[in-house]
Amino acid sequence: MADAKKLYIKTYGCQMNVYDSERMAEALEGDGYEQTQDMGEADMILLNTCHIREKAAEKVYSDLGRLKPLHDKKPDLKIGVAGCVAQAEGPEIMRRQPMVDLVVGPQTYHRLPEMMKEVDAGRSALDTDFPEEDKFDHLPKRVLPARNPSAFLTVQEGCDKFCAFCVVPYTRGAEVSRPATRILSEAQALVERGVREITLLGQNVNAYHGHERGLAGLIWDLAEIDDLKRIRFTTSHPNDMDDALIHAHGTCEKLMPYLHLPVQSGSDRILKAMNRKHTANQYRDIIARIRDARPDLMFSGDFIVGFPGETDEDFEATMQLVRDVHYGQAYSFKYSARPGTPAAEKEDVPADVATDRLHRLQALLTEQQYQTQADMVGRQVNVLFEKRGRQDGQLIGKSEYLHAVHAEASAELIGTVQPVEITKNMTNSLTGQLVSN
Ligand code: SAH
Ligand code: SF4
Ligand code: F3S
């Protein structure tokens, strides 16, 4: 296409947005847009946004502000805002930044080509419905060769859990599962395009009910696809870790031994105030059952410090839970009051107290992560090579435990799983040597 228009997408937030950005790019391809990595040459810039914490949402407005000079120089440049800020703030975005041409929510981006017609005719377009139709039925088939042997596949969207701090039930709507047959055919198409690892995505992926045997049933069906070597899923809620799923971790070879299982707090009082509907000991018990099924499984988690009413004692309970579980990796955040959520009505913990707690928790989590990586040295892992490394002759891939691993290997091995002996612990990755077989 000689005169293809250029589309630049910036993605904020979670993996579901990464998946959505790919699908939006595909939807716009039919409209004559091809993706560029260079914002300067773009005819359209799309920000796919996140509303989870105040900083994430405000970043969108500061980024829009920074686009202003580019837009002034190039008045034909189209600017769109998608994702969770679009859903939550819709018209407010256009009011604060009138240069924005288009605002589209996470459930309506299959309508992008129609919306672009409006925009091309010089009008602005806004669509933040929760429509009856399923956007996945209206998106183009995925045909391009995969850029990466590891791909995301959204199987479930939305959330009915209503944790007291969280905007997701409002920005993404109620829980909806895609039918298993559709997911299996999308997975098959991905594998034909060269994908070897699929990470099933959902805000509450283990509440998936599009298969009669739930997420475990879907995983077992996916495992039947020969050339699909690895299956992962994220993000899970502790209360939805059912027996079949726990069992699959011990018996399904393609299901990787890594699980992101957020708990948020180790204090029962705070868990109750957060509306998490489980106690710290129930979480410990679920972890123990999963470790029984798969002893080497590595856990990751999410934590919030400084939730309204959190005392030193509550925080200590979180530190204790972290010591008990021992995470391979984890994310921790300072509580951020979000408009419209029940917790936003409550009084905040003083900022310096929350900051101090965050530092202490992060120090502990970093130490655990370092320890976990150091323990890998001398061990043999299996690496799915994804791409060339920065150094000549080096490839980068992921171990079954999701550690990034560098090793000298020929580029033909991209897209294959190889045994690698870990020789060194770098801060954010591991180095290893191919084990010749
Ligand atoms: N559905 C997922 C995660 C959703 S958001 C789950 O339930 O685990 C990702 C993480 O952001 C959450 O796990 C939580 O730790 C954090 N988070 C969500 N809302 C927040 C808020 N208001 N302030 C600080 N962190 C928040
Ligand atoms: Fe948010 Fe809780 Fe739903 Fe996760 S389970 S998306 S934290 S409301
Ligand atoms: Fe953010 Fe929306 Fe994901 S709020 S974390 S982009 S679901």
Side-chain angles (χ1 to χ4, degrees):
M1 250 184 292
D3 59 348
K5 291 174 280 181
K6 303 274 196 221
L7 168 70
Y8 179 90
I9 304 190
K10 177 166 178 183
T11 307
Y12 310 67
C14 64
Q15 288 124 325
M16 302 202 58
N17 266 11
V18 176
Y19 176 87
D20 289 340
S21 288
E22 278 178 27
R23 304 299 313 254
M24 287 192 278
E26 289 164 5
L28 286 170
E29 244 159 47
D31 231 29
Y33 279 96
E34 76 182 26
Q35 241 179 305
T36 172
Q37 306 303 320
D38 175 5
M39 192 191 280
E41 67 165 20
D43 299 291
M44 165 148 191
I45 295 176
L46 192 57
L47 307 182
N48 192 12
T49 62
C50 173
H51 201 245
I52 202 83
R53 285 168 288 275
E54 189 180 356
K55 259 197 199 145
E58 280 306 313
K59 179 106 187 25
V60 175
Y61 289 103
S62 61
D63 282 0
L64 281 173
R66 247 178 278 137
L67 287 181
K68 191 95 185 24
L70 189 63
H71 188 261
D72 289 345
K73 257 198 301 185
K74 212 172 158 180
D76 283 344
L77 174 66
K78 307 282 185 264
I79 297 185
V81 178
C84 291
V85 177
Q87 189 64 46
E89 300 187 0
E92 170 73 7
I93 299 171
M94 287 183 167
R95 201 185 56 73
R96 278 177 70 172
Q97 275 298 350
M99 69 174 180
V100 171
D101 299 286
L102 173 151
V103 171
V104 62
Q107 297 311 332
T108 43
Y109 62 74
H110 56 295
R111 296 178 182 164
L112 266 173
E114 287 160 49
M115 295 175 75
M116 285 311 292
K117 287 201 185 85
E118 285 294 299
V119 170
D120 287 336
R123 292 185 285 269
S124 62
L126 180 138
D127 193 341
T128 53
D129 280 358
F130 285 110
E132 286 290 313
E133 81 265 16
D134 180 350
K135 68 171 177 258
F136 296 109
D137 292 344
H138 297 264
L139 286 166
K141 278 223 154 49
R142 313 188 69 181
V143 289
L144 288 183
R147 265 182 299 237
N148 192 309
S150 178
F152 292 135
L153 204 176
T154 293
V155 303
Q156 180 275 340
E157 291 194 280
C159 182
D160 296 339
K161 298 269 190 299
F162 290 92
C163 298
F165 50 80
C166 184
V167 293
V168 171
Y170 311 96
T171 61
R172 295 273 174 165
E175 250 175 56
V176 180
S177 294
R178 296 177 65 191
T181 47
R182 307 276 171 79
I183 293 162
L184 288 163
S185 57
E186 191 174 329
Q188 187 71 50
L190 285 170
V191 170
E192 280 159 20
R193 293 162 58 201
V195 166
R196 295 293 172 262
E197 172 180 273
I198 290 181
T199 302
L200 305 174
L201 297 182
Q203 264 90 22
N204 264 297
V205 71
N206 56 345
Y208 176 77
H209 53 77
H211 187 288
E212 57 190 6
R213 285 175 293 125
L215 186 64
L218 179 66
I219 289 169
W220 283 109
D221 282 0
L222 284 165
E224 299 278 313
I225 303 177
D226 265 354
D227 284 337
L228 179 63
K229 303 297 180 201
R230 295 177 154 191
I231 303 166
R232 305 178 184 275
F233 60 90
T234 198
T235 296
S236 302
H237 192 286
N239 290 355
D240 294 315
M241 283 307 297
D242 62 19
D243 290 344
L245 196 52
I246 293 176
H247 185 69
H249 274 291
T251 48
C252 181
E253 271 179 34
K254 291 187 178 179
L255 185 58
M256 292 295 103
Y258 177 96
L259 182 63
H260 183 60
L261 198 61
V263 62
Q264 316 299 353
S265 168
S267 152
D268 288 346
R269 219 175 56 82
I270 295 297
L271 287 170
K272 191 157 196 296
M274 285 177 164
N275 192 31
R276 289 289 294 183
K277 300 199 174 81
H278 59 76
T279 63
N281 278 345
Q282 280 165 343
Y283 180 79
R284 284 185 178 87
D285 180 55
I286 293 159
I287 297 266
R289 283 165 53 215
I290 299 167
R291 280 198 167 130
D292 269 352
R294 179 80 202 228
D296 63 332
L297 188 138
M298 193 162 296
F299 285 97
S300 149
D302 287 344
F303 297 89
I304 295 177
V305 301
F307 185 81
E310 186 187 69
T311 62
D312 286 341
E313 206 185 340
D314 293 321
F315 175 68
E316 277 313 318
T318 299
M319 294 289 276
Q320 191 53 47
L321 181 62
V322 171
R323 284 182 211 109
D324 292 346
V325 172
H326 203 284
Y327 291 89
Q329 204 229 328
Y331 305 89
S332 46
F333 312 99
K334 225 189 300 182
Y335 168 73
S336 166
R338 306 305 291 128
T341 61
E345 308 294 315
K346 307 220 183 106
E347 199 179 325
D348 279 354
V349 165
D352 55 334
V353 173
T355 303
D356 179 60
R357 286 178 189 164
L358 186 66
H359 289 160
R360 286 176 54 206
L361 176 60
Q362 286 184 338
L364 177 59
L365 290 168
T366 305
E367 188 187 308
Q368 293 192 345
Q369 178 181 338
Y370 185 87
Q371 194 55 50
T372 310
Q373 290 191 190
D375 288 347
M376 287 287 157
V377 176
R379 276 184 63 179
Q380 188 174 313
V381 296
N382 295 308
V383 175
L384 170 61
F385 284 117
E386 292 181 359
K387 57 184 180 196
R388 290 170 199 269
R390 250 189 242 147
Q391 281 171 33
D392 244 8
Q394 204 185 47
L395 298 185
I396 304 181
K398 297 267 168 52
S399 78
E400 52 272 64
Y401 308 106
L402 211 58
H403 286 131
V405 178
H406 300 250
E408 298 220 343
S410 96
E412 288 151 36
L413 294 183
I414 292 174
T416 69
V417 178
Q418 300 292 335
V420 172
E421 186 180 316
I422 300 302
T423 52
K424 200 166 172 212
N425 173 21
M426 319 293 276
T427 322
N428 290 310
S429 64
L430 300 167
T431 305
Q433 249 169 10
L434 265 187
V435 178
S436 43
N437 39 16

